Amino acid sequence: MRNNAIAEMRKDHKIGHTILYFDEITSTNTHAKELARKGAAHGTVLLAKRQTAGRGRLGKQFYSPAGCGLYLSVIVRQSIAPEDLLAVTACTAAAVHDALRYFDITAQIKWVNDLFLNGRKICGILTEGGFVGEELDFLVIGIGMNIRHNPNVPEALRPILTDLESETGQCIPEDQLIHAILNALESHLDGLHERAFLPVYRAQSCTLGHRVWLSEESCEALAIDYTQDAGLIVRMDDGTEKIITTGQATVMD
Ligand code: BTN
């Protein structure tokens, strides 16, 4: 990865004007939150070659070995309400989708924070808020993408994970990929209040129209649409509709 090339490409942008590089870090999200609490500016990006304690949604680990993935976090300070956190995650998923389209790659988006290629996960997103009392002071958006095949991927993860290179045969220069992701994120965050991400988020969904297992409800339902805030609207088997905003919706069919 050519650090100077990314810095040069991003220097006049709202997101990525400052990029901090780490060979190894516990978690770019954890460190970004510490920096944000100390006043780091909107658009600061942390980029790591390897994470020793990468985190995913719902307290899961995010496997982050060196040489195989892209691990980055963005500090966001714009007027966002706490109830918009889910929409920010969905908006970031749409941004990653759009960035990949730039390289002629079409990914599917699984509610709420995953991107898939050929039925397996290539990217996850973790959005975390920093609060002062009830007020949202800043956000950290973390993006983890599997770029290259990792022969050491744990056995249990093999059926569910894949990587960009194995699925597309393309070896995209990382600086270009990061530039495309940050560009798309910048533009989707500008359109967040108008929910500009929703058309692509709906169109690329691999959740809608499917039966899903809802972890919070411990039951199956049919995923029928998204709310303006990226909540998942499901039809339960008794015909009632419910909006799901937490937990996981695992596609069953
Ligand atoms: C998920 O799959 O549930 C979300 C994964 C998010 C991983 C990224 S990698 C960069 C940033 N740092 C972390 O610890 N997590 C996010």
Side-chain angles (χ1 to χ4, degrees), residues 86-99:
L86 209 56
V88 171
T89 300
C91 147
T92 306
V96 174
H97 165 272
D98 289 358

Side-chain angles (χ1 to χ4, degrees), residues 22-253:
F22 301 86
D23 282 337
E24 182 180 296
I25 196 167
T26 51
S27 150
T28 53
N29 261 37
T30 304
H31 196 56
K33 286 198 286 181
E34 285 163 13
L35 294 181
R37 271 185 217 107
K38 291 179 188 156
H42 172 79
T44 302
V45 170
L46 287 77
L47 200 50
K49 287 191 180 150
R50 167 173 190 256
Q51 298 185 115
T52 54
R55 297 182 289 108
R57 199 167 157 262
L58 307 172
K60 291 190 182 158
Q61 277 186 352
F62 188 79
Y63 181 59
S64 316
C68 308
L70 191 66
Y71 317 113
L72 68 84
S73 297
V74 182
I75 295 172
V76 174
R77 295 180 187 277
Q78 70 183 53
S79 124
I80 291 172
E83 55 273 20
D84 286 344
L85 278 173
L86 209 56
V88 171
T89 300
C91 147
T92 306
V96 174
H97 165 272
D98 289 358
L100 291 174
R101 278 302 307 140
Y102 187 76
F103 302 99
D104 283 331
I105 298 167
T106 305
Q108 278 70 52
I109 303 173
K110 179 182 163 294
W111 186 85
V112 56
N113 65 326
D114 288 336
L115 282 100
F116 274 53
L117 276 181
N118 303 326
R120 284 189 291 164
K121 176 166 168 169
I122 52 150
C123 178
I125 293 155
L126 175 66
T127 308
E128 298 181 285
F131 289 83
V132 175
E134 305 272 283
E135 295 282 300
L136 191 57
D137 185 30
F138 62 82
L139 280 181
V140 168
I141 301 174
I143 301 173
M145 190 184 287
N146 309 322
I147 297 193
R148 261 169 243 105
H149 175 64
N150 173 11
N152 302 319
V153 70
E155 191 70 40
L157 296 178
R158 283 184 195 170
I160 40 180
L161 289 190
T162 189
D163 61 277
L164 213 50
E165 221 172 276
S166 304
E167 296 302 324
T168 67
Q170 280 197 65
C171 173
I172 300 170
E174 273 177 49
D175 46 12
Q176 289 182 26
L177 182 59
I178 293 164
H179 184 48
I181 291 173
L182 298 182
N183 268 347
L185 183 60
E186 196 171 293
S187 121
H188 270 287
L189 283 173
D190 282 347
L192 180 68
H193 290 295
E194 298 76 42
R195 300 305 195 234
F197 67 87
L198 267 175
V200 77
Y201 194 72
R202 278 200 180 99
Q204 295 310 126
S205 174
C206 56
T207 301
L208 295 183
H210 292 275
R211 285 189 69 76
V212 288
W213 171 260
L214 301 169
S215 62
E216 291 292 289
E217 316 281 321
S218 293
C219 68
E220 276 189 37
L222 178 66
I224 54 176
D225 202 358
Y226 297 125
T227 66
Q228 286 293 303
D229 296 335
L232 177 65
I233 308 174
V234 295
R235 184 171 304 127
M236 312 301 279
D237 286 348
D238 65 4
T240 56
E241 290 184 7
K242 226 175 190 162
I243 297 172
I244 307 295
T245 56
T246 55
Q248 251 183 332
T250 308
V251 175
M252 305 298 291
D253 53 10

